[in-house]
Amino acid sequence: MSKHLKILTSVLFIVIIILAVCITRFYFDVSKDTGKNTDNVVTYSRKEQSVNGLYIIESENGLFGVADENNKIILEPCWKSIEIENENFFIVSSDSFGDEILYGCVDSEGNAEIPFIYSGFEKFGTDNMTFYVGRITGENSCIVYDSNFNSCFGRVWDSYSIDENRIKLYWNENAYTYFAGDDGISLKNAVIKNKAMNKKYSIIINSRVLLSKLDYRNLEKISDCISAYLNYSFTQNHSYMDKYISSEIHQDYRRFFSDNPDVVSKKLESIKDVSVYQEKLRDGTQCITASVRITAGISYIRDGENINLTDNYHAVVKFDEKEFGMVNMISASFSDDEIKSDSHQS
């Protein structure tokens, strides 16, 4: 599946989740009358005490609900299972959609906050800040929620792994490691993989300053801009750059060996290293810089003779920082695209 198709799929999936919430609320309106005494409603037994005096109760037919210490029903016993997360949110399961047991989250009024599309939830974080990973039924993908069951990232992730209060999230070949602390969740490491001219490369970012400024969307945009620039620089096909050109900002980028009319062909051999860092320009403004080191082959004409040359080159791609952490490519060029007398000729 292509990257653009996966992005579209993720967007559509979020829309489907919203629709699923509405459908779930239609089927699961369990907030009949939270003021009823359980003695007049159903015979039950208390299973355990959880948060702020709330109890899980079990009915005669083996279904679960929630009551408070005064025997007032909070959630009627109609669920296959219940976990009390706090006084407002409850992870529950039901088989009302078929034979498979599905999990979701309801509030204290019985309204579905998270749709019943999950095979289960896994928790991570601290005692004061809990996060939830919903495993989507029938897939390896997941969605991450905060303690109020709001989506943390607005993305359906391909897979994940949890190690205490750290979670590693995977999307395509990219991997992002987040740390959950009392103040929230923060990005600690990112590995973004991409390719240009069918040559693969990886960007590994550990900088705390950079990761505090850029989320996964902008890191992937930086990577995509690098790919687009290299494709454009070697093919002269301007369509690679069209998506990243803005009429609102000044942009300056030039092709590889564009100033040497003797060069008749060029080929990207390998992408050796890509690093991304923050830089202060001469006018005092901050920018994000990507340093791209490559090996390339060129053919050029000298004294009527066709000569082939292979050498290492360095591209610099710069991005400005906009509001809300957005980045835009503002310049891209090779700093050393010239024919050197001591270069390796083939």
Side-chain angles (χ1 to χ4, degrees), residues 166-334:
R166 292 179 180 268
I167 184 170
K168 182 174 283 189
L169 297 167
Y170 301 89
W171 193 74
N172 286 337
E173 295 184 276
N174 303 338
Y176 303 90
T177 301
Y178 289 87
F179 174 82
D182 289 341
D183 296 327
I185 193 166
S186 56
L187 183 58
K188 296 300 181 182
N189 172 266
V191 179
I192 303 101
K193 297 188 178 184
N194 212 328
K195 61 182 179 180
M197 302 295 293
N198 292 319
K199 307 299 181 183
K200 295 182 178 181
Y201 63 88
S202 297
I203 305 174
I204 301 174
I205 302 177
N206 296 303
S207 167
R208 183 177 62 181
V209 173
L210 200 60
L211 293 175
S212 68
K213 291 175 173 288
L214 303 175
D215 63 8
Y216 69 85
R217 298 177 185 87
N218 284 305
L219 294 175
E220 289 169 7
K221 182 178 180 180
I222 288 172
S223 177
D224 289 341
C225 285
I226 293 170
S227 174
Y229 173 64
L230 291 177
N231 283 325
Y232 160 75
S233 188
F234 278 84
T235 66
Q236 303 186 43
N237 186 344
H238 196 275
S239 65
Y240 285 113
M241 298 291 290
D242 289 344
K243 181 179 178 180
Y244 305 103
I245 294 175
S246 172
S247 59
E248 300 176 355
I249 60 175
H250 173 70
Q251 293 175 295
D252 179 28
Y253 48 87
R254 63 183 181 84
R255 299 188 308 274
F256 184 55
F257 273 103
S258 59
D259 295 336
N260 194 321
D262 293 333
V263 174
V264 294
S265 68
K266 47 197 173 182
K267 180 180 179 182
L268 179 62
E269 300 288 350
S270 65
I271 303 172
K272 303 177 69 174
D273 178 69
V274 180
S275 58
V276 178
Y277 51 90
Q278 186 172 270
E279 182 181 16
K280 181 178 287 188
L281 301 178
R282 291 181 179 179
D283 61 4
T285 60
Q286 298 280 352
C287 76
I288 304 297
T289 299
S291 172
V292 186
R293 299 189 181 277
I294 69 166
T295 299
I298 64 168
S299 295
Y300 65 98
I301 298 175
R302 175 175 292 174
D303 299 328
E305 181 182 0
N306 192 9
I307 300 174
N308 298 318
L309 178 148
T310 300
D311 207 347
N312 298 320
Y313 300 93
H314 180 211
V316 176
V317 186
K318 294 185 181 296
F319 303 83
D320 68 352
E321 299 178 59
K322 293 296 184 181
E323 293 181 291
F324 311 112
M326 297 302 294
V327 295
N328 290 305
M329 181 169 57
I330 55 177
S331 68
S333 63
F334 280 84

Side-chain angles (χ1 to χ4, degrees), residues 127-145:
D127 293 338
N128 299 320
M129 184 68 68
T130 302
F131 294 87
Y132 301 85
V133 183
R135 302 185 299 274
I136 297 175
T137 299
E139 303 181 20
N140 293 322
S141 53
C142 70
I143 297 177
V144 181
Y145 296 95

Side-chain angles (χ1 to χ4, degrees), residues 29-41:
D29 181 15
V30 297
S31 55
K32 310 298 184 186
D33 184 355
T34 57
K36 290 183 180 179
N37 188 283
T38 55
D39 291 337
N40 300 323
V41 179

Side-chain angles (χ1 to χ4, degrees), residues 65-100:
V66 176
D68 66 14
E69 56 189 2
N70 296 318
N71 292 333
K72 182 185 295 184
I73 287 184
I74 306 302
L75 291 179
E76 294 190 22
C78 61
W79 307 101
K80 297 288 290 185
S81 67
I82 285 183
E83 291 184 33
I84 303 175
E85 301 308 320
N86 53 53
E87 64 272 20
N88 297 314
F89 297 108
F90 311 89
I91 292 177
V92 297
S93 66
S94 174
D95 57 1
S96 297
F97 288 118
D99 296 333
E100 189 170 11

